[in-house]
Amino acid sequence: MSSAIARIFATVLPGLAACATSGCGRADAHAAGAPGEHGPPRGRIVVATSTLCTDLARTVCEGVPGTQIEGLMPAGVDPHLWRPTAGGARMLARAEVVVANGLRLEGRMADVLPKLARSGCTVFEASSAIPMDRWRTADDAHGQPDPHVWMDPSLWARAAEGLASCMAREDPDHAAQYAANAAAFAARCDRVAERVHAAISTIPPERRLLVTAHDAFGYFGAAFGIEVRGVQGLSTESETGLANLRTLLDEVVARGVPAVFVETSVPDRAVAALVEGARARGARLATGGTLHSDALGAPGTPAGDWEGMMLDNARTIVTALGGDASGLDPGEPTR
Ligand SMILES: [Zn+2]
């Protein structure tokens, strides 16, 4: 554990101790509907790490009474680099269930999540609900699985089913509701996948190359038939290699790819360097827009939930690479 996180947890040890003795909230004041020490009854507290995990938890727990979802990371925050704040640590200490992505997405929480699990809280990792043979490993990632599993709708549906099973064990009275929510979400995932696949297939084949700031779109590319390159590696903590930039530049220029993309949660320096390099060679390369990779947009905006994010990203990509994005219009019903 880093000294910073150790200091944070030192301030909330009493809270963690309460969590450890609660048996994941079944037996005491942590239980759903049980009265808080002061004030009205508290719900079952589910704390999720990234905005994608918070959205998943809200989807699976929708309509279940006595369940309160709290998100640790605000919109637009990079989960690779996020460290628990003092407020976040207090939130975690009250949680009965923590929903994380896993596969080291929450790189700065690597010590915190096992500690919570040992303390008696249930820690659900979305990636653990996905069969290991579906995990993707990037060529240059030294065997580290790609954590960006939400980019493939069929995998994110599995994550929802896994969370529904986990919540049913915590809260058997509402098992049917959790299962129904996950099944409804899986159906939505199928429809999103159909629409995105159809739109991506309208991009001229030689332009089906998605270049982004970091390597977050591998699952997206595999699911929808578009090659993917990230200027940085799987984590935004990776250094951008000059050799990698040159190789990418050669490929983008040779294929006449018209656009590369920045990401909301990652600085755009590396992508800007790529655009500048291509223009120096006389190529027409533009920034095709901003994609939501590791963080949702603010609530109420087009990319404010998983479905909106997938459609918004696809619309940006298809439009900039010269395809037909009309099937992704917001007015098109998915639900
Ligand atoms: Zn990432």
Side-chain angles (χ1 to χ4, degrees):
M1 174 178 290
S2 76
S3 58
I5 295 176
R7 279 198 301 280
I8 287 165
F9 272 90
T11 65
V12 293
L13 276 176
L16 271 180
C19 191
T21 55
S22 73
C24 278
R26 286 200 188 89
D28 62 9
H30 276 240
E37 204 174 326
H38 306 286
R42 284 197 326 210
R44 181 182 308 280
I45 299 175
V46 177
V47 174
T49 57
S50 72
T51 49
L52 270 308
C53 288
T54 305
D55 184 67
L56 188 74
R58 289 206 174 106
T59 298
V60 169
C61 299
E62 190 175 356
V64 177
T67 299
Q68 181 181 328
I69 312 294
E70 297 180 0
L72 272 180
M73 302 182 197
V77 162
D78 179 352
H80 297 287
L81 302 178
W82 189 86
R83 290 178 190 278
T85 58
R90 279 194 294 275
M91 205 186 277
L92 285 169
R94 291 190 299 127
E96 289 153 58
V97 179
V98 172
V99 180
N101 186 82
L103 297 183
R104 298 195 202 172
L105 178 79
E106 300 93 345
R108 306 281 171 97
M109 294 180 71
D111 296 324
V112 174
L113 295 174
K115 186 183 176 87
L116 285 165
R118 284 196 299 274
S119 78
C121 292
T122 295
V123 177
F124 171 80
E125 293 195 346
S127 53
S128 70
I130 295 164
M132 285 173 70
D133 62 3
R134 302 286 305 275
W135 292 352
R136 171 187 172 271
T137 305
D139 296 338
D140 58 352
H142 310 293
Q144 167 62 26
D146 182 345
H148 306 89
V149 291
W150 58 90
M151 291 291 186
D152 179 336
S154 70
L155 300 186
W156 207 228
R158 299 286 284 264
E161 286 162 7
L163 179 55
S165 299
C166 173
M167 293 306 301
R169 284 192 293 274
E170 295 293 312
D171 178 20
D173 290 351
H174 298 104
Q177 182 70 54
Y178 295 120
N181 287 346
F185 182 66
R188 276 168 53 201
C189 287
D190 284 347
R191 290 194 292 274
V192 167
E194 280 169 22
R195 293 175 69 187
V196 173
H197 198 276
I200 295 283
S201 68
T202 66
I203 300 171
E206 71 281 4
R207 292 183 174 185
R208 276 182 221 157
L209 179 65
L210 174 59
V211 180
T212 58
H214 88 299
D215 202 0
F217 288 82
Y219 291 102
F220 184 96
F224 300 120
I226 183 167
E227 289 175 75
V228 169
R229 306 279 186 276
V231 183
Q232 278 180 297
L234 284 177
S235 169
T236 52
E237 291 189 294
S238 321
E239 290 293 324
T240 304
L242 208 56
N244 189 32
L245 256 184
R246 278 206 199 94
T247 307
L248 258 179
L249 192 54
D250 290 344
E251 186 170 14
V252 165
V253 171
R255 291 176 62 159
V257 172
V260 293
F261 300 88
V262 295
E263 300 171 35
T264 55
S265 53
V266 184
D268 62 1
R269 289 187 301 271
V271 172
L274 202 60
V275 169
E276 208 174 296
R279 287 180 179 169
R281 294 192 191 181
R284 288 189 178 191
L285 183 66
T287 300
T290 303
L291 303 179
H292 294 268
S293 52
D294 294 2
L296 294 173
T301 62
D305 62 16
W306 173 86
E307 181 176 330
M309 181 204 76
M310 292 295 291
L311 296 175
D312 197 59
N313 281 345
R315 199 178 302 119
T316 301
I317 293 163
V318 171
T319 302
L321 297 182
D324 175 4
S326 58
L328 300 167
D329 287 347
E332 291 281 319
T334 298
R335 297 184 189 208

